[in-house]
Amino acid sequence: MSAEKVISVSNISKRYRLGVLGGATLSDDLKVWWAKKRGKPNPLVTIGDEVSSTREGDHFWALRDIEFDVHKGEILGVIGKNGAGKSTLLKLLSQITGPTTGSIKARGRIASLLEVGTGFHPELTGRENIYLNGAILGMNKAEIDSRIDAIIAFSGILHHIDTPVKRYSSGMKVRLGFAVAAHLEPEILIIDEVLAVGDAEFQKKCLGKMKDISVSGRTIIFVSHNMASVRSLCTRVIWVENGMVVENGPTEVVVRNYLNNFSGHGDEISWEDGRDAPGNEELRLIHVVLRKEFPDQLLLCSHWFEIEIAFINHGISDGNLRVNIHLINGAEVLVLATALVECLPAENIGVKGEHRFSCEVPGDLLNSDDYRVAVNFVRSGKLFFRCADTIGFQIHNAVSADGFSLGKKLGVIRPKLKWRRV
Amino acid sequence: MATTSEHEWDLVIEPKKSVFRLNVKEIWIYRDLIALFVRRDFVAVYKQTILGPLWHIVQPLLTTITFTVIFGRVAKLAPSDIPNILFYMSGIVTWSYFANTVTKTSKTFIGNASLFGKVYFPRLVMPIAVSISNLIAFSIQIVTFLAFLAWFIIFDDTFQFELRPELLMLPVLVVIMAFLGLGFGIIVSSLTTKYRDLSFLVGFGVQLLMYASPVIFPLNMQQLLDKPIILGFIRLNPMTSIIESVRVAFFGGNLDWHGLIYTVVFTFVTLLFGIVLFNRVEKTFTDTI
């Protein structure tokens, strides 16, 4: 890439000490220090426990040898599970805490947005808080003066701008906070999942603003769980796992790999018809695959999809052999069970040979969640065999026209039901 | 290509920076933030109170009355040639600036942990802003004191007041006091990130320290001159020479230059030590707090 490097992260590691830090009180630490001075053993360590002070196990590496560069104008996404080290990385980049080893070099002013409305004072008015929050985020008074009208207009709370913030609803506080942040105009902007708040209309506004920022040649580092937002915004993605960079590359590739990893086996699994395939001498499952309405896109709540299964019957001739599919969500709740016989009572799988069926799940039925598919075979009313873990996939929240996630609805399922006035 | 962009980084984050580094330039960039914090401290505290900033007067006034009655009238510790009210008020106003600065700046890290955990700005901005906003309260109190002074000049014929050259020392004394309070405060605040015990100690300790200063009695009091060890202890208090000098400026006497030099050196060392400690703590305190 020929663009100018604006951030260079090299060999960054961050170590945290586990458990109680040092002595609990000053006198304890003084005792330890005094004993050390006289070359005596630590008086506070119980016998048999001496080794522990040097043990590596007292420490926890939140990040290890992280290395990447960010170029001008990029929107870099950082993804990973909870506890993967994303937040620590963010804290290091925003200078909230120092690294244990390595260095971060940056060119240009960095502003970080780990929270919306940082430092708002409830007794001050909206206008006063714009100044305070803006200054905390690194603007000077002249810059805020020149942007205050735009900030107020963006927040959409003109009528309440001279009311103390303590009388604001939480939504209004968020809007005001984001409005200030959106007008920061630093060369590098670091954003945590602050977009996960606010109503859909305001989220759209925020997303548009972020796109504007990157178009104007500034750089954004965006940390999120929301794959839909990451995909629609980011030009490149870093996947962090256990404090290390697993993959660093184009958004589509990294997000796909991340999601596949996240769902265990991914959305397709097949076995050669050998002894490895689940089942027994008489019957083996050989293929389970997810087929999506839009194969190249994320599976959204509004999309239909099909689960296709294939199995080989080696020698059962039994009219009472049945197959059914269970869909289990991330909370291990059996969301639905569907049997072939309910739909196609005339189909007989108790016949030698390969059988292949597909089951369509309509859109607007399941809620956004992780899912896995279990396949069961039942013979004469008794479980013949069960493959509890075949494919896994994620269903994502519906997305607005700009590609922004509209949030998870309540309930295990979210079918679109018919309402009428009576 | 790459080599041309290897130099001129604006920001380098590394594990260990020099502890003596005091980035004045960076703090200067954030001067508007200091001003806004000062404004916030001043405005926000008195919203929804009836007396508002008048509370700054009420506190020293009530203390002055109490001290005048107990230590002046009953214990007869105040000098006879200065109106007791003026004697006590000058001491209390001076001392309370120092005391408030120490106790408030000592809460820098603990009190702002959530803010510091979310956004970076030079952490020293916070205690500096506190010292300045205390200065506003101090000026209000000084004006009150001047009003009392004027009253005594006009209505009390026995009170002789003249404009002494020592009055010009007052701004310098205030600056020394601000730095001293700041130095003490940031030392305590740095230590409290690890030892919470100190946060209990500081309010109480500052209060006790007042008794080892000439707030309540003049240094040349006969009972004190008879006990050189106690007097020596009181002279060790760096605030002693400041309070004495303030009184000399208003009521006459001789400046204790040795004491002032001691205080200046003490302030310098305290502030330097405080900055070293503060710099060490500010980079990692979010991990320990």
Side-chain angles (χ1 to χ4, degrees):
Chain A
M1 202 174 289
S2 59
E4 186 195 354
K5 245 193 245 178
V6 287
I7 296 183
S8 168
V9 174
S10 50
N11 282 315
I12 279 290
S13 300
K14 176 71 182 175
R15 187 181 61 191
Y16 286 106
R17 280 172 74 181
L18 293 176
V20 180
L21 292 166
T25 62
L26 181 56
S27 69
D28 280 359
D29 267 16
L30 286 177
K31 274 183 216 158
V32 172
W33 173 80
W34 181 237
K36 245 188 207 167
K37 280 272 149 183
R38 292 176 301 162
K40 294 205 171 160
N42 185 340
L44 296 177
V45 173
T46 43
I47 295 169
D49 209 24
E50 290 96 337
V51 212
S52 72
S53 55
T54 53
R55 205 177 53 194
E56 179 70 6
D58 289 347
H59 301 294
F60 162 70
W61 291 90
L63 288 178
R64 251 194 147 140
D65 298 328
I66 297 277
E67 211 162 312
F68 62 88
D69 293 326
V70 188
H71 300 91
K72 201 174 176 201
E74 264 189 316
I75 306 188
L76 177 74
V78 178
I79 59 175
K81 289 179 200 162
N82 285 330
K86 296 184 309 257
S87 303
T88 307
L89 182 60
L90 223 60
K91 281 187 174 173
L92 292 178
L93 285 169
S94 28
Q95 285 182 269
I96 285 163
T97 181
T100 310
T101 66
S103 72
I104 299 171
K105 292 173 186 151
R107 189 174 291 125
R109 197 160 70 161
I110 299 184
S112 59
L113 208 53
L114 306 193
E115 184 186 64
V116 169
T118 308
F120 271 2
H121 196 289
E123 295 287 351
L124 299 179
T125 67
R127 191 186 299 274
E128 289 167 328
N129 269 310
I130 290 176
Y131 278 94
L132 186 61
N133 186 232
I136 287 175
L137 293 172
M139 282 193 266
N140 61 38
K141 192 164 173 298
E143 285 173 302
I144 306 172
D145 280 336
S146 67
R147 291 171 206 163
I148 184 122
D149 292 330
I151 293 173
I152 295 173
F154 189 88
S155 70
I157 47 175
L158 179 62
H159 297 300
H160 305 284
I161 203 67
D162 292 312
T163 307
V165 161
K166 64 178 173 181
R167 309 221 188 286
Y168 282 21
S169 70
S170 55
M172 285 162 77
K173 278 183 213 159
V174 167
R175 297 159 82 103
L176 190 65
F178 194 87
V180 177
H183 292 81
L184 267 178
E185 308 194 354
E187 281 81 19
I188 302 161
L189 184 61
I190 300 171
I191 304 182
D192 201 358
E193 287 182 287
V194 282
L195 286 173
V197 287
D199 55 45
E201 189 204 348
F202 190 71
Q203 286 188 357
K204 247 164 84 177
K205 232 171 161 180
C206 301
L207 200 85
K209 189 76 196 177
M210 277 171 71
K211 280 187 172 156
D212 291 350
I213 290 172
S214 75
V215 167
S216 65
R218 280 168 290 155
T219 311
I220 297 180
I221 298 180
F222 180 53
V223 173
S224 182
H225 272 120
N226 190 322
M227 290 306 129
S229 306
V230 169
R231 279 174 88 139
S232 71
L233 266 178
C234 299
T235 48
R236 192 156 62 88
V237 168
I238 287 179
W239 167 14
V240 182
E241 202 69 74
N242 296 324
M244 284 179 277
V245 175
V246 177
E247 201 174 355
N248 174 358
T251 305
E252 285 306 314
V253 179
V254 181
V255 169
R256 198 190 321 123
N257 291 342
Y258 171 72
L259 289 176
N260 284 344
N261 173 277
F262 203 61
S263 321
H265 300 302
D267 56 12
E268 179 164 8
I269 188 166
S270 60
W271 296 272
E272 299 302 313
D273 184 23
R275 293 184 173 274
D276 295 346
N280 52 40
E281 294 300 320
E282 295 168 297
L283 187 72
R284 282 192 196 278
L285 185 66
I286 55 166
H287 191 199
V288 181
V289 61
L290 179 80
R291 302 215 187 274
K292 298 189 282 187
E293 180 179 358
F294 302 103
D296 300 331
Q297 293 181 19
L298 289 181
L299 179 58
L300 303 181
C301 293
S302 55
H303 298 170
W304 59 258
F305 62 92
E306 288 180 329
I307 296 166
E308 190 177 303
I309 56 168
F311 50 92
I312 293 182
N313 183 341
H314 286 296
I316 301 174
S317 301
D318 186 342
N320 280 322
L321 186 67
R322 306 272 183 260
V323 61
N324 63 51
I325 291 172
H326 287 180
L327 216 51
I328 296 141
N329 72 12
E332 288 298 309
V333 172
L334 175 60
V335 178
L336 60 85
T338 175
L340 172 68
V341 69
E342 290 162 3
C343 186
L344 300 170
E347 283 286 351
N348 182 10
I349 58 170
V351 175
K352 246 185 165 182
E354 185 182 318
H355 300 270
R356 187 173 284 268
F357 292 97
S358 169
C359 169
E360 183 189 322
V361 180
D364 289 319
L365 171 68
L366 298 174
N367 209 341
S368 56
D369 207 337
D370 301 324
Y371 289 92
R372 84 183 145 85
V373 175
V375 180
N376 307 301
F377 290 91
V378 179
R379 194 175 176 184
S380 305
K382 276 189 190 158
L383 187 66
F384 185 56
F385 81 83
R386 169 179 170 87
C387 186
D389 194 9
T390 62
I391 57 170
F393 56 91
Q394 257 185 325
I395 297 182
H396 297 265
N397 292 314
V399 164
S400 70
D402 310 33
F404 199 71
S405 163
L406 294 176
K408 184 170 177 168
K409 290 222 167 72
L410 292 173
V412 177
I413 56 171
R414 54 183 277 178
K416 249 192 185 157
L417 302 178
K418 280 190 181 131
W419 283 64
R420 64 191 171 92
R421 189 183 286 279
V422 288
Chain B
M1 272 304 285
T3 47
T4 53
S5 62
E6 282 305 317
H7 48 85
E8 57 174 285
W9 295 100
D10 296 330
L11 171 73
V12 177
I13 304 171
E14 275 170 338
K16 287 271 184 283
K17 278 183 205 160
S18 162
V19 286
F20 283 102
R21 181 195 67 106
L22 172 60
N23 201 336
V24 181
K25 195 178 145 205
E26 199 186 15
I27 292 171
W28 179 246
I29 291 172
Y30 280 86
R31 62 190 181 280
D32 286 341
L33 181 60
I34 297 180
L36 283 160
F37 276 139
V38 170
R39 199 185 122 77
R40 177 196 70 176
D41 286 348
F42 195 73
V43 174
V45 173
Y46 296 108
K47 284 210 174 174
Q48 285 200 4
T49 61
I50 296 166
L51 291 182
L54 283 180
W55 277 111
H56 286 308
I57 301 176
V58 173
Q59 268 175 327
L61 209 57
L62 290 178
T63 317
T64 302
I65 292 168
T66 313
F67 280 21
T68 305
V69 171
I70 310 253
F71 298 120
R73 292 289 140 79
V74 179
K76 300 209 184 302
L77 293 175
S80 51
D81 53 337
I82 304 170
N84 284 3
I85 290 196
L86 294 183
F87 177 81
Y88 281 116
M89 201 176 217
S90 59
I92 287 163
V93 166
T94 313
W95 178 260
S96 63
Y97 175 75
F98 170 76
N100 285 338
T101 305
V102 172
T103 44
K104 284 192 189 152
T105 52
S106 73
K107 297 187 181 92
T108 302
F109 283 119
I110 303 266
N112 295 296
S114 64
L115 179 59
F116 286 0
K118 291 293 180 193
V119 66
Y120 174 80
F121 51 84
R123 305 312 191 200
L124 215 46
V125 159
M126 218 57 173
I128 290 175
V130 170
S131 313
I132 295 174
S133 63
N134 280 348
L135 220 47
I136 296 177
F138 177 68
S139 338
I140 295 174
Q141 293 167 356
I142 281 288
V143 169
T144 317
F145 171 75
L146 291 178
F148 274 85
L149 186 71
W151 194 89
F152 274 97
I153 292 170
I154 298 166
F155 297 106
D156 186 351
D157 296 334
T158 60
F159 177 60
Q160 297 292 315
F161 180 78
E162 51 184 291
L163 286 171
R164 295 180 184 80
E166 284 89 348
L167 281 170
L168 295 173
M169 290 265 305
L170 282 179
V172 181
L173 294 175
V174 172
V175 170
I176 296 172
M177 198 160 59
F179 282 140
L180 186 63
L182 185 67
F184 265 117
I186 60 179
I187 289 174
V188 177
S189 75
S190 306
L191 293 176
T192 41
T193 59
K194 222 181 156 195
Y195 312 109
R196 298 293 172 100
D197 322 34
L198 280 171
S199 55
F200 297 106
L201 192 68
V202 69
F204 167 68
V206 165
Q207 215 174 2
L208 281 187
L209 201 61
M210 188 190 74
Y211 292 95
S213 81
V215 171
I216 291 168
F217 40 78
L219 273 193
N220 57 12
M221 185 173 68
Q222 195 53 50
Q223 298 97 302
L224 207 57
L225 293 174
D226 294 342
K227 300 195 171 52
I229 295 176
I230 297 179
L231 185 64
F233 264 112
I234 294 173
R235 284 191 189 283
L236 279 181
N237 183 344
M239 279 301 288
T240 297
S241 66
I242 292 188
I243 295 172
E244 283 286 293
S245 305
V246 168
R247 285 184 179 146
V248 167
F250 283 109
F251 312 121
N254 295 318
L255 281 178
D256 172 14
W257 287 104
H258 291 290
L260 279 173
I261 289 167
Y262 164 74
T263 300
V264 168
V265 171
F266 193 100
T267 303
F268 182 75
V269 172
T270 309
L271 196 59
L272 200 69
F273 183 63
I275 289 168
V276 168
L277 215 54
F278 198 86
N279 278 346
R280 273 184 61 168
V281 168
E282 75 167 1
K283 287 160 59 43
T284 52
F285 94 99
T286 42
D287 306 340
T288 55
I289 212 155

